[in-house]
Amino acid sequence: MYSKIFEDFLALVFPKTCCLCKRSLFDFEDQLCKICIAELPVTNYHLRPQNNELVTKIMGLTKPNLAMSFLRFSKKGGSQILLHQLKYKNKPEIGVELGRLYGNILYQNGFSNNWDQITPVPLHPIKQKIRGYNQSEQFAIGLSEALDVPVVLSLIRKQFTETQTKKSRLQRIENVAEVFDVDLMKDVNGKRLLLVDDVMTTGATLITCANVLLEKGCQLVDLAVIAAGKNQ
Ligand SMILES: [Zn+2]
């Protein structure tokens, strides 16, 4: 009761605004206004999840099943602004909201019973401590709400990755190969997993994580990211 009054008071003094256009939000809106949601650069990868540029990217490097991205990444576009706020402006709620929006799209397109677990790519514990949260896990939480599939933190990260910028694609994959492992306390054997991350650039991290999960007996691993595109 009191918390609701306090919440209403805060909303009066500091009205919630849209993360993109800064317009005041209605009660039924969360993070983004309806107009900005309608204008998000949504991909249609979920309509051809086995035949799109993400699948082409991972082909031959991991057993490709489905690979999808909610948004198309474009410099100075809405997706870049949202990702920047999610990662660097202490706005974990944006990740949850984007997960919810994408989860609803996936649900409406028949993906209601595809997965047993949703697993985010982990951040290094030190990095997560500094940021306060893992942005990919926030995306997973939103997807979980919309799809009614539990989030299971099955992957662990063992060490810091060296800077990747001057490495070739194969070197990058080798470089991250030793970094990820499956948490021994989690049961992934025979499970159908949706592995999620914030962005797909070279795909090295997602390929490595998918391979680690498949080696430990996952039945299948599908991939979903918030944004992907050529101009990252
Ligand atoms: Zn807006």
Side-chain angles (χ1 to χ4, degrees):
M1 175 70 183
Y2 286 110
S3 67
K4 177 78 178 99
I5 292 169
F6 186 60
E7 224 173 76
D8 289 348
F9 169 74
L10 281 180
L12 207 64
V13 183
F14 305 106
K16 278 197 306 177
T17 56
C18 173
C19 294
L20 287 176
C21 70
K22 306 298 174 200
R23 184 176 68 69
S24 294
L25 291 175
F26 291 111
D27 272 356
F28 58 83
E29 294 173 325
D30 182 30
Q31 309 303 318
L32 288 163
C33 73
K34 293 288 175 210
I35 296 166
C36 287
I37 289 174
E39 288 176 352
L40 284 174
V42 177
T43 75
N44 60 4
Y45 291 168
H46 57 279
L47 302 178
R48 44 189 178 90
Q50 286 176 308
N51 176 25
N52 59 55
E53 59 190 83
L54 297 193
V55 176
T56 310
K57 213 174 225 182
I58 61 174
M59 192 80 78
L61 296 164
T62 182
K63 194 173 128 202
N65 194 51
L66 313 183
M68 301 174 286
S69 174
F70 180 25
L71 304 176
R72 193 173 296 282
F73 191 91
S74 62
K75 279 211 163 120
K76 295 181 182 160
S79 50
Q80 202 213 19
I81 296 167
L82 290 172
L83 282 168
H84 183 79
Q85 292 188 29
L86 170 62
K87 285 175 82 167
Y88 305 114
K89 300 287 178 185
N90 194 26
K91 289 248 183 184
E93 320 78 46
I94 291 178
V96 180
E97 172 72 348
L98 293 174
R100 250 185 242 127
L101 292 169
Y102 197 37
N104 285 332
I105 291 175
L106 293 177
Y107 189 88
Q108 286 156 13
N109 281 276
F111 293 88
S112 57
N113 190 28
N114 282 50
W115 306 292
D116 304 308
Q117 300 176 354
I118 300 174
T119 296
V121 169
L123 273 185
H124 188 279
I126 295 172
K127 215 166 176 183
Q128 179 154 346
K129 200 159 188 181
I130 295 166
R131 187 168 296 163
Y133 56 90
N134 172 1
Q135 67 277 5
S136 302
E137 188 178 339
Q138 301 302 309
F139 183 53
I141 291 168
L143 285 166
S144 165
E145 281 180 25
L147 292 164
D148 197 23
V149 175
V151 175
V152 181
L153 307 180
S154 299
L155 288 166
I156 49 171
R157 197 160 188 143
K158 292 185 284 192
Q159 63 187 47
F160 255 125
T161 322
E162 301 168 46
T163 177
Q164 302 264 15
T165 33
K166 292 206 174 122
K167 292 195 165 66
S168 72
R169 185 146 182 260
L170 258 180
Q171 282 174 323
R172 288 182 192 205
I173 292 168
E174 283 167 8
N175 186 228
V176 291
E178 300 300 315
V179 175
F180 296 98
D181 205 350
V182 172
D183 185 341
L184 288 174
M185 304 300 286
K186 303 287 160 50
D187 180 19
V188 297
N189 196 30
K191 298 283 192 291
R192 302 166 304 159
L193 256 67
L194 180 63
L195 174 65
V196 303
D197 207 355
D198 52 354
V199 292
M200 187 194 275
T201 45
T202 62
T205 302
L206 283 161
I207 289 165
T208 304
C209 289
N211 285 339
V212 166
L213 288 162
L214 288 165
E215 271 167 29
K216 295 286 163 133
C218 277
Q219 187 186 326
L220 66 85
V221 179
D222 291 336
L223 311 178
V225 295
I226 298 175
K230 292 188 180 103
N231 306 314
Q232 290 174 62

